[in-house]
PDB file of all heavy atoms in Angstrom:
ATOM      1  N   ALA Z  53       4.010  25.195  14.596  1.00 96.00           N
ATOM      2  CA  ALA Z  53       5.037  25.592  15.537  1.00 96.00           C
ATOM      3  C   ALA Z  53       4.454  26.337  16.702  1.00 96.00           C
ATOM      4  O   ALA Z  53       4.828  26.128  17.889  1.00 96.00           O
ATOM      5  CB  ALA Z  53       6.109  26.330  14.857  1.00 96.00           C
ATOM      6  N   HIS Z  54       3.537  27.244  16.370  1.00 95.00           N
ATOM      7  CA  HIS Z  54       2.914  28.034  17.494  1.00 95.00           C
ATOM      8  C   HIS Z  54       2.117  27.127  18.410  1.00 95.00           C
ATOM      9  O   HIS Z  54       2.166  27.312  19.641  1.00 95.00           O
ATOM     10  CB  HIS Z  54       1.959  29.067  16.842  1.00 95.00           C
ATOM     11  CG  HIS Z  54       1.259  29.900  17.897  1.00 95.00           C
ATOM     12  ND1 HIS Z  54       1.832  30.925  18.562  1.00 95.00           N
ATOM     13  CD2 HIS Z  54      -0.032  29.782  18.368  1.00 95.00           C
ATOM     14  CE1 HIS Z  54       0.987  31.437  19.404  1.00 95.00           C
ATOM     15  NE2 HIS Z  54      -0.146  30.765  19.334  1.00 95.00           N
ATOM     16  N   THR Z  55       1.401  26.164  17.839  1.00 95.00           N
ATOM     17  CA  THR Z  55       0.624  25.261  18.695  1.00 95.00           C
ATOM     18  C   THR Z  55       1.521  24.443  19.580  1.00 95.00           C
ATOM     19  O   THR Z  55       1.205  24.297  20.772  1.00 95.00           O
ATOM     20  CB  THR Z  55      -0.237  24.352  17.807  1.00 95.00           C
ATOM     21  OG1 THR Z  55      -1.102  25.119  16.945  1.00 95.00           O
ATOM     22  CG2 THR Z  55      -1.086  23.387  18.628  1.00 95.00           C
ATOM     23  N   LEU Z  56       2.605  23.891  19.001  1.00 95.00           N
ATOM     24  CA  LEU Z  56       3.443  23.040  19.787  1.00 95.00           C
ATOM     25  C   LEU Z  56       4.223  23.867  20.839  1.00 95.00           C
ATOM     26  O   LEU Z  56       4.527  23.419  21.967  1.00 95.00           O
ATOM     27  CB  LEU Z  56       4.463  22.336  18.855  1.00 95.00           C
ATOM     28  CG  LEU Z  56       3.834  21.249  17.988  1.00 95.00           C
ATOM     29  CD1 LEU Z  56       4.790  20.833  16.909  1.00 95.00           C
ATOM     30  CD2 LEU Z  56       3.382  20.084  18.779  1.00 95.00           C
ATOM     31  N   TRP Z  57       4.519  25.110  20.484  1.00 96.00           N
ATOM     32  CA  TRP Z  57       5.173  26.064  21.476  1.00 96.00           C
ATOM     33  C   TRP Z  57       4.195  26.374  22.614  1.00 96.00           C
ATOM     34  O   TRP Z  57       4.613  26.342  23.797  1.00 96.00           O
ATOM     35  CB  TRP Z  57       5.613  27.299  20.726  1.00 96.00           C
ATOM     36  CG  TRP Z  57       6.111  28.385  21.641  1.00 96.00           C
ATOM     37  CD1 TRP Z  57       7.243  28.339  22.420  1.00 96.00           C
ATOM     38  CD2 TRP Z  57       5.612  29.679  21.812  1.00 96.00           C
ATOM     39  NE1 TRP Z  57       7.409  29.553  23.085  1.00 96.00           N
ATOM     40  CE2 TRP Z  57       6.423  30.387  22.705  1.00 96.00           C
ATOM     41  CE3 TRP Z  57       4.483  30.366  21.280  1.00 96.00           C
ATOM     42  CZ2 TRP Z  57       6.145  31.732  23.077  1.00 96.00           C
ATOM     43  CZ3 TRP Z  57       4.240  31.662  21.632  1.00 96.00           C
ATOM     44  CH2 TRP Z  57       5.072  32.345  22.560  1.00 96.00           C
ATOM     45  N   THR Z  58       2.931  26.623  22.237  1.00 96.00           N
ATOM     46  CA  THR Z  58       1.927  26.913  23.277  1.00 96.00           C
ATOM     47  C   THR Z  58       1.731  25.718  24.236  1.00 96.00           C
ATOM     48  O   THR Z  58       1.573  25.934  25.440  1.00 96.00           O
ATOM     49  CB  THR Z  58       0.639  27.295  22.608  1.00 96.00           C
ATOM     50  OG1 THR Z  58       0.800  28.388  21.723  1.00 96.00           O
ATOM     51  CG2 THR Z  58      -0.453  27.657  23.607  1.00 96.00           C
ATOM     52  N   LEU Z  59       1.811  24.512  23.675  1.00 95.00           N
ATOM     53  CA  LEU Z  59       1.607  23.315  24.519  1.00 95.00           C
ATOM     54  C   LEU Z  59       2.845  22.934  25.323  1.00 95.00           C
ATOM     55  O   LEU Z  59       2.740  22.087  26.223  1.00 95.00           O
ATOM     56  CB  LEU Z  59       1.153  22.142  23.587  1.00 95.00           C
ATOM     57  CG  LEU Z  59      -0.188  22.269  22.918  1.00 95.00           C
ATOM     58  CD1 LEU Z  59      -0.387  21.122  21.996  1.00 95.00           C
ATOM     59  CD2 LEU Z  59      -1.285  22.280  23.995  1.00 95.00           C
ATOM     60  N   GLY Z  60       3.986  23.567  24.991  1.00 95.00           N
ATOM     61  CA  GLY Z  60       5.175  23.285  25.728  1.00 95.00           C
ATOM     62  C   GLY Z  60       6.105  22.295  25.079  1.00 95.00           C
ATOM     63  O   GLY Z  60       7.142  21.940  25.728  1.00 95.00           O
ATOM     64  N   TYR Z  61       5.850  21.832  23.854  1.00 95.00           N
ATOM     65  CA  TYR Z  61       6.715  20.821  23.223  1.00 95.00           C
ATOM     66  C   TYR Z  61       7.892  21.517  22.502  1.00 95.00           C
ATOM     67  O   TYR Z  61       8.848  20.824  22.137  1.00 95.00           O
ATOM     68  CB  TYR Z  61       5.933  19.955  22.256  1.00 95.00           C
ATOM     69  CG  TYR Z  61       4.964  19.071  22.974  1.00 95.00           C
ATOM     70  CD1 TYR Z  61       3.609  19.338  23.047  1.00 95.00           C
ATOM     71  CD2 TYR Z  61       5.435  17.913  23.673  1.00 95.00           C
ATOM     72  CE1 TYR Z  61       2.718  18.490  23.763  1.00 95.00           C
ATOM     73  CE2 TYR Z  61       4.527  17.071  24.359  1.00 95.00           C
ATOM     74  CZ  TYR Z  61       3.266  17.400  24.399  1.00 95.00           C
ATOM     75  OH  TYR Z  61       2.342  16.578  25.068  1.00 95.00           O
ATOM     76  N   LEU Z  62       7.778  22.777  22.223  1.00 96.00           N
ATOM     77  CA  LEU Z  62       8.822  23.565  21.529  1.00 96.00           C
ATOM     78  C   LEU Z  62       9.214  24.770  22.356  1.00 96.00           C
ATOM     79  O   LEU Z  62       8.407  25.286  23.194  1.00 96.00           O
ATOM     80  CB  LEU Z  62       8.402  23.988  20.173  1.00 96.00           C
ATOM     81  CG  LEU Z  62       8.172  22.940  19.082  1.00 96.00           C
ATOM     82  CD1 LEU Z  62       7.783  23.688  17.765  1.00 96.00           C
ATOM     83  CD2 LEU Z  62       9.393  22.064  18.863  1.00 96.00           C
ATOM     84  N   ARG Z  63      10.451  25.204  22.196  1.00 96.00           N
ATOM     85  CA  ARG Z  63      10.877  26.459  22.751  1.00 96.00           C
ATOM     86  C   ARG Z  63      11.169  27.413  21.563  1.00 96.00           C
ATOM     87  O   ARG Z  63      11.513  26.969  20.474  1.00 96.00           O
ATOM     88  CB  ARG Z  63      12.139  26.286  23.614  1.00 96.00           C
ATOM     89  CG  ARG Z  63      11.903  25.631  24.972  1.00 96.00           C
ATOM     90  CD  ARG Z  63      13.219  25.341  25.668  1.00 96.00           C
ATOM     91  NE  ARG Z  63      12.985  25.024  27.095  1.00 96.00           N
ATOM     92  CZ  ARG Z  63      13.912  24.595  27.883  1.00 96.00           C
ATOM     93  NH1 ARG Z  63      15.175  24.387  27.405  1.00 96.00           N
ATOM     94  NH2 ARG Z  63      13.689  24.288  29.187  1.00 96.00           N
ATOM     95  N   LYS Z  64      11.090  28.736  21.896  1.00 96.00           N
ATOM     96  CA  LYS Z  64      11.381  29.772  20.822  1.00 96.00           C
ATOM     97  C   LYS Z  64      12.318  30.789  21.398  1.00 96.00           C
ATOM     98  O   LYS Z  64      12.032  31.392  22.415  1.00 96.00           O
ATOM     99  CB  LYS Z  64      10.080  30.371  20.354  1.00 96.00           C
ATOM    100  CG  LYS Z  64      10.302  31.415  19.238  1.00 96.00           C
ATOM    101  CD  LYS Z  64       9.015  31.832  18.591  1.00 96.00           C
ATOM    102  CE  LYS Z  64       8.114  32.613  19.516  1.00 96.00           C
ATOM    103  NZ  LYS Z  64       6.915  33.196  18.808  1.00 96.00           N
ATOM    104  N   ASP Z  65      13.431  30.937  20.725  1.00 95.00           N
ATOM    105  CA  ASP Z  65      14.408  31.942  21.087  1.00 95.00           C
ATOM    106  C   ASP Z  65      13.878  33.321  20.765  1.00 95.00           C
ATOM    107  O   ASP Z  65      13.524  33.547  19.575  1.00 95.00           O
ATOM    108  CB  ASP Z  65      15.715  31.739  20.383  1.00 95.00           C
ATOM    109  CG  ASP Z  65      16.821  32.615  20.873  1.00 95.00           C
ATOM    110  OD1 ASP Z  65      16.686  33.878  20.744  1.00 95.00           O
ATOM    111  OD2 ASP Z  65      17.882  32.098  21.315  1.00 95.00           O
ATOM    112  N   PRO Z  66      13.746  34.249  21.724  1.00 94.00           N
ATOM    113  CA  PRO Z  66      13.087  35.525  21.423  1.00 94.00           C
ATOM    114  C   PRO Z  66      13.940  36.430  20.561  1.00 94.00           C
ATOM    115  O   PRO Z  66      13.406  37.323  19.870  1.00 94.00           O
ATOM    116  CB  PRO Z  66      12.950  36.181  22.810  1.00 94.00           C
ATOM    117  CG  PRO Z  66      13.932  35.472  23.695  1.00 94.00           C
ATOM    118  CD  PRO Z  66      14.036  34.125  23.149  1.00 94.00           C
ATOM    119  N   ALA Z  67      15.225  36.175  20.464  1.00 94.00           N
ATOM    120  CA  ALA Z  67      16.073  36.979  19.626  1.00 94.00           C
ATOM    121  C   ALA Z  67      16.200  36.420  18.243  1.00 94.00           C
ATOM    122  O   ALA Z  67      15.955  37.177  17.240  1.00 94.00           O
ATOM    123  CB  ALA Z  67      17.544  37.073  20.265  1.00 94.00           C
ATOM    124  N   SER Z  68      16.527  35.122  18.089  1.00 95.00           N
ATOM    125  CA  SER Z  68      16.751  34.569  16.766  1.00 95.00           C
ATOM    126  C   SER Z  68      15.450  34.057  16.121  1.00 95.00           C
ATOM    127  O   SER Z  68      15.411  33.812  14.955  1.00 95.00           O
ATOM    128  CB  SER Z  68      17.751  33.429  16.845  1.00 95.00           C
ATOM    129  OG  SER Z  68      17.224  32.336  17.603  1.00 95.00           O
ATOM    130  N   LYS Z  69      14.378  33.960  16.942  1.00 94.00           N
ATOM    131  CA  LYS Z  69      13.080  33.365  16.519  1.00 94.00           C
ATOM    132  C   LYS Z  69      13.208  31.881  16.124  1.00 94.00           C
ATOM    133  O   LYS Z  69      12.327  31.391  15.440  1.00 94.00           O
ATOM    134  CB  LYS Z  69      12.524  34.200  15.318  1.00 94.00           C
ATOM    135  CG  LYS Z  69      12.415  35.660  15.625  1.00 94.00           C
ATOM    136  CD  LYS Z  69      11.472  35.969  16.834  1.00 94.00           C
ATOM    137  CE  LYS Z  69      11.333  37.458  17.012  1.00 94.00           C
ATOM    138  NZ  LYS Z  69      10.560  37.740  18.248  1.00 94.00           N
ATOM    139  N   LYS Z  70      14.296  31.262  16.512  1.00 96.00           N
ATOM    140  CA  LYS Z  70      14.487  29.845  16.189  1.00 96.00           C
ATOM    141  C   LYS Z  70      13.690  28.971  17.214  1.00 96.00           C
ATOM    142  O   LYS Z  70      13.690  29.269  18.386  1.00 96.00           O
ATOM    143  CB  LYS Z  70      15.925  29.462  16.166  1.00 96.00           C
ATOM    144  CG  LYS Z  70      16.692  29.963  14.985  1.00 96.00           C
ATOM    145  CD  LYS Z  70      18.126  29.353  14.925  1.00 96.00           C
ATOM    146  CE  LYS Z  70      18.806  29.756  13.580  1.00 96.00           C
ATOM    147  NZ  LYS Z  70      20.100  29.067  13.477  1.00 96.00           N
TER     148      LYS Z  70
END
Side-chain angles (χ1 to χ4, degrees):
H54 178 78
T55 302
L56 292 167
W57 173 63
T58 302
L59 293 174
Y61 291 104
L62 293 182
R63 284 175 168 171
K64 182 168 67 173
D65 187 300
S68 67
K69 306 300 182 185
K70 286 190 174 186

